[in-house]
Amino acid sequence: MRIRYAVPALAAAAVLLLSGCVDNSTPSAGGSDEASAPAIAADDAAIALLPEGVGDDGKLVIGIDPTYAPNEFKDADGNPIGWGAELAEGIAAKFGLTPEFQVSKFDNIIPSVTGGKADIGMSSFTDTIERQEQVDFVNYYNAGIQWASAAGNEVDPENACGLKVAVQATTYEDTDEVPAKSEACVAAGKPEIEKVQFDTQDAATNAVALGQVDAMSADSPVTLYAIAQTDGKLQAAGETFDIAPYGVAVAKDSGMAEAVQAALQSMVDDGSYDEILDAWGVADGGISEITINAASKG
């Protein structure tokens, strides 16, 4: 995930609404869980690059953890939606295939890709050198880390020693960012940051809104979306930092990276990529050139 992060909508939104905190049922920045993605034409060049066996059944199997609004979450019927989900559907369309979402926990997606159970993993993965030991990444977006706190509670992410900080389990914020900040606190003789893990981002967001923790850390599009959905209960804490690329996870050295790269570049070139990002209000992180394994080349 961050790497990733989210505010799933509906099952969780019901709980959040009962507590009066968060309403994630609809995107705030122009997106809608009833809006359809743009019609996208197949691309012969991308199709020609597909590895043997991929799509033989007419489907592109997409591993996804739809618990990270507005990137990937669920509509009222439990179907994956969000701008990441729409990009995945666009990739399938470029291949002339039908998208088939394989919903699973985030940390099961890369094993599904490496094990051949999913053709691609599309779940706000931050491209890291460590993850590249298992999969290749086709880079499609730049996201940073953004903290949020309860309205009126000023928190500085660079001076958070002794605070409670909510994260979604297995995200970059959970495994790397907050632990590193906490270690720096201890090294300076200050109290550690108490990292509080949640299985889903909506639960982490709700903990901030309820005052159970001091702040949350998540990917920038997720945090900004959460702030917009909490009706003034949350505020940005500090500026966005540590900008890094999101990547579609594919089997390593399989040729699938080049195929997905061609499909996404075709979406950039025909405007469907920008159309999706604009509709969901996340165009600031858009890129014009689709790359492969950017983390190891930066």
Side-chain angles (χ1 to χ4, degrees):
M1 283 174 158
R2 201 130 205 37
I3 322 194
R4 253 197 42 171
Y5 325 86
V7 179
L10 304 151
V15 176
L16 297 171
L17 286 169
L18 287 173
S19 65
C21 292
V22 185
D23 177 7
N24 296 309
S25 58
T26 56
S28 64
S32 165
D33 33 350
E34 297 182 357
S36 58
I40 296 173
D43 185 275
D44 290 340
I47 293 170
L49 291 171
L50 279 172
E52 184 176 355
V54 176
D56 285 353
D57 59 357
K59 299 176 182 178
L60 183 73
V61 181
I62 303 159
I64 192 170
D65 177 9
T67 60
Y68 215 51
N71 305 10
E72 306 93 15
F73 60 116
K74 293 181 180 180
D75 66 13
D77 297 320
N79 300 310
I81 59 171
W83 64 269
E86 289 189 8
L87 287 179
E89 291 170 339
I91 293 169
K94 286 297 180 182
F95 291 147
L97 301 174
T98 299
E100 180 178 287
F101 286 110
Q102 184 183 87
V103 174
S104 67
K105 293 182 65 175
F106 180 75
D107 54 1
N108 290 334
I109 297 175
I110 285 180
S112 292
V113 171
T114 59
K117 295 181 180 179
D119 297 314
I120 66 173
M122 187 72 164
S123 214
S124 302
F125 286 98
T126 294
D127 177 359
T128 68
I129 294 174
E130 292 76 16
R131 285 176 171 168
Q132 286 181 25
E133 294 176 1
Q134 302 178 70
V135 293
D136 287 325
F137 285 105
V138 182
N139 308 111
Y140 63 92
Y141 191 81
N142 289 325
I145 298 175
Q146 175 68 60
W147 282 35
S149 60
N153 179 25
E154 299 300 325
V155 170
D156 179 2
E158 300 305 318
N159 186 25
C161 303
L163 299 185
K164 292 183 178 180
V165 179
V167 295
Q168 182 177 355
T170 76
T171 64
Y172 179 84
E173 288 82 354
D174 174 29
T175 61
D176 291 72
E177 183 249 334
V178 174
K181 282 184 168 61
S182 184
E183 290 173 5
C185 289
V186 174
K190 299 178 181 180
E192 68 180 3
I193 295 173
E194 183 178 345
K195 183 182 68 176
V196 184
Q197 296 172 303
F198 293 89
D199 288 339
T200 59
Q201 181 59 46
D202 63 290
T205 299
N206 210 31
V208 182
L210 290 172
Q212 297 170 345
V213 297
D214 298 295
M216 59 173 263
S217 179
D219 286 358
S220 52
V222 172
T223 298
L224 296 174
Y225 178 79
I227 291 170
Q229 295 298 295
T230 55
D231 193 26
K233 293 182 174 64
L234 297 185
Q235 64 183 21
E239 301 295 328
T240 299
F241 58 94
D242 286 358
I243 306 298
Y246 278 168
V248 182
V250 300
K252 196 161 187 66
D253 300 323
S254 64
M256 192 63 181
E258 289 76 13
V260 173
Q261 180 186 35
L264 280 167
Q265 190 63 56
S266 181
M267 291 179 66
V268 170
D269 295 343
D270 69 16
S272 56
Y273 170 89
D274 285 338
E275 186 175 346
I276 290 169
L277 299 192
D278 287 341
W280 288 89
V282 296
D284 285 352
I287 59 178
S288 59
E289 181 181 358
I290 305 300
T291 59
I292 296 174
N293 292 335
S296 61
K297 299 172 182 177

